[in-house]
Amino acid sequence: MSLTVHTEQRGDVVVVAVAGELDMATAPQLQDQITDLLDKGRNRLVFDLADVSFCDSTGLSVFVRAKNSCDEAGGVVRLAAPQRGVLRILEVSGLVEVLHTYPTVDEAVAGEPTPASS
């Protein structure tokens, strides 16, 4: 399965909608999109993961690198609406809190204090 990436500006936040499988073969595509956004000064990113059916460690590393880059630029990275399997990977890896994961895109854009896991 391929990966599709679409972006939408919402105020000062860019929502990056990702769909498909995020793995070693497709992660560079997402990384290129993130690099392009950062090069344009966009450092407040919300990744909409509602349509991501699979994410491996390569995909997780893309999000960690995005967070580190955005942190350095005074921005923020949030993950939104991961499917159960992807949320489980985030929980097991310990990244669900580090990457500020939210149950919905709207909550992630608003920066609501309640993360997806409890």
Side-chain angles (χ1 to χ4, degrees), residues 1-107:
M1 181 176 206
S2 64
L3 188 76
T4 59
V5 181
H6 298 285
T7 60
E8 173 192 349
Q9 190 76 36
R10 288 202 197 175
D12 65 345
V13 174
V14 177
V15 175
V16 182
V18 185
E21 294 183 357
L22 186 53
D23 57 22
M24 187 169 45
T26 59
Q29 178 185 344
L30 180 58
Q31 184 63 58
D32 289 347
Q33 185 77 32
I34 294 166
T35 299
D36 185 53
L37 289 168
L38 292 170
D39 288 348
K40 293 177 181 175
R42 306 286 193 254
N43 61 9
R44 297 179 55 78
L45 308 177
V46 168
F47 292 94
D48 178 356
L49 305 181
D51 294 323
V52 174
S53 57
F54 175 80
C55 181
D56 70 4
S57 61
T58 312
L60 294 179
S61 69
V62 170
F63 296 128
V64 170
R65 282 195 301 275
K67 180 192 183 322
N68 292 340
S69 296
C70 287
D71 285 353
E72 289 174 14
V76 66
V77 165
R78 298 182 185 120
L79 305 182
Q83 293 183 22
R84 186 182 325 178
V86 174
L87 180 59
R88 182 72 181 132
I89 291 167
L90 290 164
E91 289 170 340
V92 168
S93 66
L95 292 174
V96 74
E97 290 87 14
V98 173
L99 292 172
H100 305 292
T101 306
Y102 295 80
T104 69
V105 172
D106 289 341
E107 287 173 289

